[in-house]
Amino acid sequence: MRWATLVSPNDARLNEQSVDPQELLLAQLMTVRLVLLQDNHINLDSDDWESLLAWLDLKVPESARDSRRASDYRPALKRWLKRATTSVSPDDDISCLLVQLVEHIGELLQLSDAERDLLIIAWLRLRHHPMNPVLSGIESSRAPKTLSMLLGHSGESILQGLSSTGRLHMLGLLGDKPLRFHDLEDAISSGSLLDSLAPLATEALAKAECASLKELVSTRLMSLCPPLPKGNYSLSSFDAVPLRQLLMDYLRQALAQRRHGANVLIHGQPGVGKTELVKTLASHLNVPLYGVPSCERDHQPLSPSKRLGRYGVVQQLLQQQPALVMFDEIEDVMTDEEALPKGWTNQQLERNPVPGIWVSNSVRWLDPAYQRRFDLIIEVKASTGPQARSRFQVMLADIPITHSARSRLAEQPWMTPALAQQLGRISGLLNEKAPLRNEQHLECLLSDRLQAQGMSPEGSLLRDNVPEPATGMPAYELGWLNTTPSLEHIIKRLQRRGRGRLCLHGLPGSGKTAMAAHLAKQLGRELITAHASSLMDKFVGGTEEKIAELFRRACEKKAVLLLDEIDSLLMSRDGAQQSWEISHTNELLVQLENFNGILLATTNRHDSLDRAVMRRFDLKVAFHPLAPKQLRSLLKTVLPKRDHARLAAIPDHNMAQRRLTPGNVRTALDQLDLRGLPVRFNTLMEALAQEERQQQGSKGPLGFV
């Protein structure tokens, strides 16, 4: 811009857009006819009348100066109408480009004759502003009858064309508030789809290629739901979707039979690859995939009604072609107050000629009336198999961390393709020469991210969570557990039955958690450990959701489920102060009752547990301190051979007085290692005595001799 533009402005008026003469005549004829049909029931002021006559190239009669009465202008309008119609043959079709455009749109979208004529008026209103005062001057009560008389259609067809369930409104050709209008201008206000198509009239006139009008219209309509790129994965990559082959066969059959009402709902947590699965399905079926966008080309968000309208448009355009249509993020549409009426949406799910794939992050919110209209409802979960780990390894290859950390990251159950891509994008920000420091940064980054998503993973995210064994501590042995009843036969029974619910209670360190790991290893199953603290949620209902999700995951993976420190979550309901405290227990009662796998719950205070909870356990296993023979055997393994004689000299009755567990022995060994003391008879016995003293809360002397 230059100052000259403002200092010496050009007084010349901007050139008005070039208009087809027949289109202009059509707009003028319709406007004059609308005025004459109203008699004196039209609300225009003197300025409106003056603008209307100027548009018609008429002068205001002297007798009508500053008049608002329609009767003062009617003679001039009738004379204009008589002159204008002398050059028009009643038997000829209106052949202006705009009418041709509407005919092509009507054919593609299957609009009725009445709907096409209403669309013509709405489009003319956009292009010829002198029509607007006349349209706004006709009251809503007279609008349907006036349009019926003007267009020659029945009042019923006009009302249907303007109704909230009419195709013009549903497809976004007319405005968002049908049958709530104050005047005729509101009744035929343009919708989002017509606003998108409006420039076509000018483009078609500039090109003047009537033969390509239909192709021009079709191309513009298809651009509203653009085709999506092909998938980059094989179908086998989605090993966490066991019904993927059934889904493929269902879509193939629907396409071959051109069956109407074929709909699939795919849901899952964000980032697990739902969209990529849909792309892969389309690629394997060798058909194009079209997606309903969530925003305009200028990045302005699309309202729910506009998105559903576009879905309806692309369904009509593709009905003769083999294709798939994906509607992503449907929760933003079907739960929104501005969404289209449920009845119309249900019709879309029953009559769509092209298979529709609807994608959501969750289905809990979805109305049952919608759910029952999906032939398949399939959940996509994060892939955790060998193929997924290999794929994540490739996606994480550029991150400058150690190989073991990268492997650990690829094996995490919360790893998703989206997260792997995000981590890959930030790899360039990390120092290639400092992998250990990078691991620390990623540890903090991922920890904050998971906590924000409501997950509380235990231990390190990039390193194995198996604790380093204490110096001199032997490998785990079932014989060092003193339980009632004995565990040996219980484990064998669990192996045969494949199910069972056990409550493990006793002193800390007595081997309850270690027994769960041993059992999972013996059964060849994954061990899923959940601490009570990780299940508690600050939001009402959040804890119940986490409990339900935990049991569902354990059931699907056929894993051994360990609920550690269950007493923190299941205190007796008799002492509950809040309703949500009771609901936590009630939810776990339901899950315990219905769980058909192997569940172990550990507690140090089983007396505080709700009685109804305790009844849900098939067996209660008490973990006692080590028996004299067990304690002597464990200490013999720990001590050097030269101290074995001194250990054997300790009387059995002295050993029987000790209340020690394998955990006490491990802690004592760690204590000696930190103090830099050798593991000898005297040092170990002193450390064990100190452990026992702290455990019992006694300050008196305790010892073995």
Side-chain angles (χ1 to χ4, degrees), residues 31-321:
T31 305
V32 173
R33 286 272 292 143
L34 285 171
V35 173
L36 296 178
L37 286 171
Q38 297 307 304
D39 293 329
N40 291 321
H41 300 287
I42 188 167
N43 301 315
L44 298 178
D45 58 26
S46 58
D47 291 337
D48 293 333
W49 284 112
E50 184 176 350
S51 298
L52 174 60
L53 293 180
W55 184 46
L56 299 174
D57 200 18
L58 296 176
K59 293 183 179 180
V60 178
E62 289 295 332
S63 59
R65 290 289 179 185
D66 300 326
S67 174
R68 297 170 56 95
R69 295 192 301 270
S71 58
D72 292 337
Y73 301 94
R74 189 176 296 111
L77 293 177
K78 286 183 176 181
R79 289 193 298 270
W80 180 92
L81 183 61
K82 185 176 181 180
R83 291 196 306 271
T85 55
T86 55
S87 60
V88 176
S89 174
D91 297 329
D92 293 341
D93 291 333
I94 302 174
S95 59
C96 67
L97 286 176
L98 186 141
V99 173
Q100 293 180 44
L101 286 172
V102 171
E103 287 299 319
H104 292 317
I105 293 172
E107 180 183 351
L108 290 169
L109 301 183
Q110 298 184 350
L111 300 180
S112 67
D113 291 341
E115 290 169 338
R116 298 183 191 192
D117 289 346
L118 288 171
L119 180 57
I120 289 174
I121 299 178
W123 206 330
L124 288 172
R125 170 187 167 276
L126 285 178
R127 293 172 54 79
H128 302 277
H129 299 296
M131 294 181 68
N132 292 330
V134 173
L135 296 173
S136 62
I138 301 175
E139 296 179 356
S140 59
S141 59
R142 298 179 59 84
K145 182 178 180 181
T146 299
L147 289 173
S148 175
M149 296 172 64
L150 174 69
L151 301 175
H153 299 294
S154 66
E156 182 179 354
S157 62
I158 295 297
L159 284 173
Q160 179 59 33
L162 299 176
S163 71
S164 60
T165 57
R167 297 183 60 77
L168 292 177
H169 171 68
M170 295 304 180
L171 296 176
L173 289 167
L174 289 189
D176 297 332
K177 296 182 180 179
L179 296 184
R180 300 176 185 173
F181 46 82
H182 300 289
D183 49 51
L184 184 53
E185 184 183 20
D186 289 341
I188 58 172
S189 62
S190 61
S192 59
L193 178 57
L194 181 53
D195 291 338
S196 299
L197 296 174
L200 278 178
T202 303
E203 294 176 21
L205 186 62
K207 294 181 179 180
E209 297 176 359
C210 298
S212 62
L213 278 182
K214 186 173 183 179
E215 182 180 352
L216 185 65
V217 171
S218 178
T219 302
R220 179 59 59 88
L221 287 173
M222 287 303 303
S223 69
L224 300 176
C225 292
L228 298 177
K230 292 186 177 181
N232 297 320
Y233 302 102
S234 64
L235 195 61
S236 60
S237 300
F238 300 91
D239 57 335
V241 186
L243 298 178
R244 58 189 182 279
Q245 187 58 52
L246 174 64
L247 175 58
M248 175 74 74
D249 295 339
Y250 168 85
L251 294 173
R252 182 180 291 111
Q253 184 185 70
L255 289 167
Q257 298 176 352
R258 294 189 177 182
R259 182 162 58 85
H260 286 214
N263 290 284
V264 174
L265 175 60
I266 293 179
H267 65 99
Q269 294 296 318
V272 296
K274 301 185 293 296
T275 302
E276 290 300 325
L277 171 61
V278 178
K279 292 179 181 178
T280 300
L281 291 170
S283 297
H284 279 258
L285 292 168
N286 197 27
V287 296
L289 172 66
Y290 295 87
V292 179
S294 58
C295 61
E296 297 277 14
R297 292 180 179 178
D298 59 358
H299 304 295
Q300 292 297 318
L302 286 171
S303 67
S305 59
K306 290 179 181 178
R307 295 192 69 202
L308 284 171
R310 292 196 177 189
Y311 175 80
V313 169
V314 76
Q315 282 284 344
Q316 290 296 329
L317 295 174
L318 295 172
Q319 58 181 324
Q320 301 300 326
Q321 305 176 33

Side-chain angles (χ1 to χ4, degrees), residues 380-579:
V380 178
K381 303 168 187 174
S383 297
T384 57
Q387 288 190 354
R389 289 195 291 269
S390 299
R391 187 166 69 249
F392 292 148
Q393 284 275 19
V394 173
M395 299 174 72
L396 300 170
D398 294 334
I399 302 179
I401 55 179
T402 62
H403 177 74
S404 60
R406 188 178 297 108
S407 299
R408 174 71 180 170
L409 196 57
E411 295 173 356
Q412 293 290 355
W414 37 260
M415 178 56 63
T416 64
L419 178 56
Q421 289 178 348
Q422 291 173 337
L423 293 176
R425 286 196 291 268
I426 68 172
S427 61
L429 305 176
L430 302 176
N431 187 351
E432 296 182 358
K433 299 180 179 180
L436 296 180
R437 183 182 301 173
N438 295 338
E439 290 177 15
Q440 294 176 354
H441 292 330
L442 286 180
E443 185 91 27
C444 295
L445 176 68
L446 291 169
S447 179
D448 291 344
R449 181 190 185 96
L450 294 174
Q451 288 183 11
Q453 294 175 348
M455 292 184 280
S456 301
E458 299 290 335
S460 174
L461 304 179
L462 302 181
R463 297 179 179 85
D464 289 336
N465 293 327
V466 178
E468 292 293 330
T471 303
M473 188 67 182
Y476 175 84
E477 287 189 18
L478 193 63
W480 289 332
L481 299 183
N482 184 16
T483 64
T484 306
S486 174
L487 286 175
E488 183 178 355
H489 296 293
I490 294 175
I491 292 178
K492 291 181 180 179
R493 290 287 296 170
L494 289 174
Q495 288 177 319
R496 288 198 297 267
R497 296 179 63 194
R499 57 185 176 84
R501 296 165 294 188
L502 277 63
C503 177
L504 314 180
H505 61 92
L507 291 174
S510 54
K512 301 183 292 295
T513 304
M515 182 268 180
H518 174 76
L519 176 61
K521 184 177 181 180
Q522 291 295 313
L523 297 177
R525 298 190 183 188
E526 179 184 348
L527 175 65
I528 296 179
T529 303
H531 297 270
S533 58
S534 66
L535 295 175
M536 298 297 290
D537 195 280
K538 62 181 179 180
F539 297 107
V540 176
T543 301
E544 289 84 341
E545 290 186 5
K546 288 185 176 181
I547 292 173
E549 173 62 22
L550 173 67
F551 276 84
R552 184 185 65 81
R553 184 158 57 95
C555 184
E556 290 175 351
K557 294 187 175 183
K558 295 183 179 180
V560 175
L561 177 58
L562 172 63
L563 297 179
D564 205 9
E565 300 176 355
I566 196 175
D567 47 277
S568 301
L569 186 66
L570 294 177
M571 301 297 288
S572 174
R573 286 175 293 182
D574 296 337
Q577 301 295 321
Q578 304 291 339
S579 59

